[in-house]
Every structure is written in structure tokens, then in C-alpha cells.
Amino acid sequence: VSDGLSVTVPLGEKRLMDVKLGELGSWLGTRDFTPNGLISAVRRGHDRYYNKYINVKKGGIGGIAMLLAGYVVLSYVWEYDHISKKLIYIFFCP
């Protein structure tokens, strides 16, 4: 129940999507960039993804398809130089 009063959340506790562009530098300063902090951030992201798309009562193919599409895009980016040279040769050399 809201009584009309605004609640202020400390900057360090805000999620990335809730941070305004002007606050981004200060918000990044509150993040933990140590190896343990980065590992825990990846673990939290994995847990959110798993609970939202995989660990559901009535699931679909959306979560798996998103993971597969990300893998395809990442593989393409890693091999872009190799693929682009072949494509240029195929399309522009008689």
C-alpha cells in the first residue's frame, strides 16, 4: 500500500535497469570488480536467467532458444574474420 511518499533506494542497491544515465558513473563505482565480485555477479545473472526461463512450471522453448541464439551469435563474432574472407571470395570473385 502506497501512502504517496516516495521511497529512495540507495544507489548501490539499484539494479542496472533502474539507474539513470547521469548516475551510471557513480553506480559503477559502487560495484565490486574483484574476482570474487565478478564471479558472484555472473552467478546471480545465471540464477536469474535459470529461474526466469528454465525453472518454470509451464515452460516453453523460449529460454533454450535464447541460449542457443546467443551461442550462435557469439560463435559468429569469434569467427567473423574467417567467415568474411570466404564470403567476399564467394560473392566477388568470378
Side-chain angles (χ1 to χ4, degrees):
V1 177
S2 175
D3 59 356
L5 300 174
S6 63
V7 177
T8 57
V9 178
L11 187 60
E13 294 178 14
K14 287 186 179 181
R15 296 173 78 176
L16 178 60
M17 296 304 293
D18 298 331
V19 176
K20 295 186 177 154
L21 191 57
E23 300 173 328
L24 187 60
S26 300
W27 181 81
L28 283 173
T30 64
R31 302 289 95 199
D32 183 13
F33 288 108
T34 62
N36 283 337
L38 294 175
I39 290 170
S40 64
V42 170
R43 186 174 295 136
R44 281 192 312 270
H46 173 267
D47 289 344
R48 282 188 195 140
Y49 173 83
Y50 183 82
N51 288 327
K52 185 171 183 179
Y53 293 107
I54 307 297
N55 190 22
V56 293
K57 289 184 181 177
K58 185 176 179 182
I61 195 164
I64 302 296
M66 187 185 314
L67 190 64
L68 183 61
Y71 173 74
V72 168
V73 168
L74 190 61
S75 297
Y76 180 76
V77 168
W78 282 338
E79 297 293 330
Y80 183 75
D81 290 331
H82 179 69
I83 293 172
S84 66
K85 289 177 185 174
K86 283 187 178 180
L87 290 175
I88 290 171
Y89 181 76
I90 291 170
F91 289 115
F92 298 109
C93 295

